[in-house]
């Protein structure tokens, strides 16, 4: 049985959490309506190794504003120097980390609209990490964090010969799984070969036998970051296909709810 002191303690904890939540909501609503904020369209992007990637970062303002005086700094957690910096109307690349020399760029015309997205050329595995985009302007600004992940992925190509459909996808990382299905999403038996080259990139060759004319098949090539989904149909020996990619999302942080959960559990324990 809980004592009076324990009950009062739990009541105080509950009131503090309640009022803290209300204050945070009021402040969030106030600043979201009255001041510009910095956001990204994708907090957990997946870049394709060896290709260029655009890291999204921009000011969101309730008013139409032209940002003629704006500074932008891109940084990477745990790295000396910065990724890219734009000051006084142009690049300011003193103290830029050598990893990003001649590989990064923002677009001055886009900056006039508050868009400070960073073009990162020829992405490598070393580019993975947490990036911080900071925008400053006379009317306001802020910062946003972006967790960049890297993978290799290509859509498969298809050929048909002697009753067998063959799919080839030559660039995948991490190692993928391969699944063929019919139009009812029933898994079909296929023969698949996955080979790793000298730099750790996997190539996929998968053969589906006994393919039926005018039947629609689905091929999924999937690893923990990327899924390629292809629809394939054979019509009078002609192969028609359509493919698209989907990307995994990182789980949301629990940091904002852990204190409340801990307090609630503590109170329940005390009151038992």
């Amino acid at each position: 049985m809980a004592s009076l002191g324990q009950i009062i303690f739990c009541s105080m904890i509950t009131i503090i959490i309640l009022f803290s939540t209300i204050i945070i909501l009021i402040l969030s609503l106030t600043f979201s309506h009255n001041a510009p904020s910095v956001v990204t369209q994708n907090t957990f992007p997946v870049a394709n190794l060896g290709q260029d990637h655009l890291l999204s970062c921009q000011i969101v303002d309730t008013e139409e504003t032209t940002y003629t005086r704006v500074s932008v700094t891109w940084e990477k957690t745990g790295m000396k120097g910065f990724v890219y910096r734009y000051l006084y109307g142009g690049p300011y690349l003193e103290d830029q980390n050598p990893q990003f020399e001649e590989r990064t760029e923002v677009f001055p015309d886009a900056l006039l609209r508050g868009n400070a997205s960073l073009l990162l050329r020829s992405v490598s595995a070393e580019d993975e990490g947490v990036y911080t985009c900071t925008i400053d302007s006379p009317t306001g600004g802020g910062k946003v964090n972006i967790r960049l992940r890297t993978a290799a992925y290509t859509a498969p190509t298809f050929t048909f010969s002697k009753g067998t459909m063959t799919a080839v996808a030559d660039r995948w990382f991490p190692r993928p799984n391969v699944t063929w299905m019919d139009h009812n999403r029933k898994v079909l038996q296929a023969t698949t070969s996955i080979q790793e080259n000298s730099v750790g990139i996997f190539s996929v060759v998968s053969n589906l036998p006994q393919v039926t004319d005018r039947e629609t098949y689905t091929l999924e090539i999937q690893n923990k970051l990327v899924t390629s989904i292809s629809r394939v149909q054979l019509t009078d020996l002609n192969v028609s296909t359509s493919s698209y990619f989907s990307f995994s999302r990182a789980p949301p942080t629990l940091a904002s709810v852990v204190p409340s959960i801990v307090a609630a559990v503590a109170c329940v324990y005390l009151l038992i």
Side-chain angles (χ1 to χ4, degrees), residues 73-85 95-101 103-104 118 120 126-132:
T73 301
W74 280 88
E75 299 170 285
K76 185 170 183 277
T77 300
M79 187 192 74
K80 293 182 179 180
F82 57 85
V83 175
Y84 190 88
R85 181 174 289 168
D95 295 329
Q96 183 183 37
N97 188 281
Q99 177 181 336
F100 296 99
E101 287 182 1
R103 297 181 55 229
T104 50
L118 180 78
L120 179 58
E126 291 74 22
D127 293 329
E128 276 203 6
V130 178
Y131 292 74
T132 301

Side-chain angles (χ1 to χ4, degrees), residues 195-203:
Q195 301 292 330
E196 183 179 5
N197 66 16
S198 59
V199 295
I201 302 299
F202 297 91
S203 61

Side-chain angles (χ1 to χ4, degrees), residues 35-247:
S37 59
V38 175
V39 300
T40 180
Q41 294 180 358
N42 193 348
T43 307
F44 303 101
V46 178
N48 202 341
L49 291 171
Q51 298 187 11
D52 298 349
H53 189 85
L54 190 69
L55 293 174
S56 165
C57 175
Q58 64 188 76
I59 295 178
V60 174
D61 200 342
T62 55
E63 300 179 359
E64 291 290 334
T65 304
T66 299
Y67 296 91
T68 55
R69 295 170 55 198
V70 61
S71 64
V72 178
T73 301
W74 280 88
E75 299 170 285
K76 185 170 183 277
T77 300
M79 187 192 74
K80 293 182 179 180
F82 57 85
V83 175
Y84 190 88
R85 181 174 289 168
Y86 186 95
L87 296 174
Y88 315 120
Y92 187 81
L93 303 181
E94 193 174 318
D95 295 329
Q96 183 183 37
N97 188 281
Q99 177 181 336
F100 296 99
E101 287 182 1
E102 300 183 355
R103 297 181 55 229
T104 50
E105 181 183 3
V106 299
F107 303 95
D109 290 344
L111 283 175
L112 293 174
R113 302 186 299 274
N115 188 336
S117 297
L118 180 78
L119 178 62
L120 179 58
R121 295 187 178 90
S122 301
V123 171
S124 68
E126 291 74 22
D127 293 329
E128 276 203 6
V130 178
Y131 292 74
T132 301
C133 170
T134 304
I135 305 178
D136 292 310
S137 76
T139 58
K143 62 177 59 178
V144 65
N145 292 330
I146 300 164
R147 173 69 168 89
L148 177 66
R149 301 166 293 167
T150 60
Y153 50 94
T154 54
T157 59
F158 296 88
T159 57
F160 177 77
S161 177
K162 299 179 180 179
T164 297
M165 186 77 72
T166 300
V168 177
D170 55 6
R171 291 185 68 257
W172 276 83
F173 180 84
R175 181 186 176 96
N177 296 313
V178 179
T179 306
W180 286 91
M181 292 172 286
D182 64 12
H183 68 280
N184 292 319
R185 299 195 63 81
K186 176 184 177 182
V187 176
L188 304 173
Q189 294 297 316
T191 302
T192 299
S193 172
I194 300 177
Q195 301 292 330
E196 183 179 5
N197 66 16
S198 59
V199 295
I201 302 299
F202 297 91
S203 61
V204 175
V205 178
S206 187
N207 297 300
L208 179 68
Q210 300 179 347
V211 172
T212 303
D213 192 44
R214 302 188 185 279
E215 172 69 277
T216 299
Y217 300 91
T218 298
L219 174 65
E220 289 188 359
I221 305 176
Q222 181 181 45
N223 59 31
K224 63 181 181 180
L225 295 175
V226 187
T227 301
S228 168
I229 301 177
S230 300
R231 311 289 188 207
V232 191
Q233 186 177 60
L234 179 69
T235 305
D236 299 328
L237 301 183
N238 295 314
V239 180
S240 58
T241 66
S242 62
S243 299
Y244 65 91
F245 296 103
S246 64
F247 303 93

